[in-house]
Amino acid sequence: MQFFAFLTAAFGGLGLYSSHLSRPLDQPTARASGTVVSTHESTWFPKRAGSASVRYAVGGADYLIKTRRDPGEHFLRIGDVVPVEYAVAAPAAARGVWAADAARSDATVCFWIAGVCAGLGLVSFGGWWRSSGRRGG
C-alpha cells in the first residue's frame, strides 16, 4: 500500500515537473533555428544523456541556451540545427522546441502511471481494510 503511494507521488511529481517544462511561455513567442555548439556528457548516465548548448541569433545578437541532449526522438550532436522558441520581448528567454514536446509527452505518461499506481494503491488498501477486520458489520 505504501509502495503504491510512493510511486503515485513520485510519478505525479515527475508529471508535474514535465508539465511545467512543457507549458507555453506567458508572452508572444517566435521561432529561430539554432545550432548545437557543444555537448556535455552526464557522469551518471553516459549513454544518451547529458545536455547540449545551442546558439541562435535574433536581431543580429547571438544567444545561448542549454537543452537536453536527447529531446524525444532526436539525439543532438555538434553542428545539428534545432528549432528554438523564444519570447519576442526577451529573446534570451528561450527553450528547445523538441525538448518541450518531449516533456509534454513525458507528462502524459507519468500522469497515466501515477493514476494506475493510485488505483492499485486503493485496491491494496481495500484488501488490507477487509483483512484487518476494520469493516463494519
Side-chain angles (χ1 to χ4, degrees):
M1 180 171 55
Q2 293 91 351
F3 174 72
F4 290 119
F6 171 76
L7 287 178
T8 299
F11 281 104
L14 285 172
L16 288 174
Y17 178 69
S18 293
S19 154
H20 169 75
L21 292 177
S22 67
R23 78 177 191 279
L25 297 175
D26 58 353
Q27 47 190 303
T29 61
R31 288 193 179 186
S33 294
T35 304
V36 177
V37 293
S38 65
T39 58
H40 316 281
E41 297 293 329
S42 170
T43 56
W44 292 90
F45 307 104
K47 290 192 177 209
R48 299 188 61 89
S51 62
S53 294
V54 177
R55 177 173 286 129
Y56 64 101
V58 175
D62 283 346
Y63 298 95
L64 192 69
I65 61 167
K66 215 174 216 186
T67 188
R68 291 172 31 184
R69 187 162 182 209
D70 186 13
E73 299 174 6
H74 309 277
F75 185 69
L76 303 181
R77 293 178 178 79
I78 294 175
D80 286 352
V81 176
V82 298
V84 175
E85 180 182 42
Y86 64 92
V88 174
R95 65 181 178 180
V97 172
W98 292 339
D101 291 344
R104 190 172 300 111
S105 174
D106 292 348
T108 302
V109 170
C110 286
F111 285 141
W112 269 102
I113 293 172
V116 168
C117 289
L120 290 173
L122 287 174
V123 169
S124 175
F125 177 75
W128 170 81
W129 185 265
R130 183 178 172 127
S131 69
S132 68
R134 296 185 189 263
R135 63 187 165 113

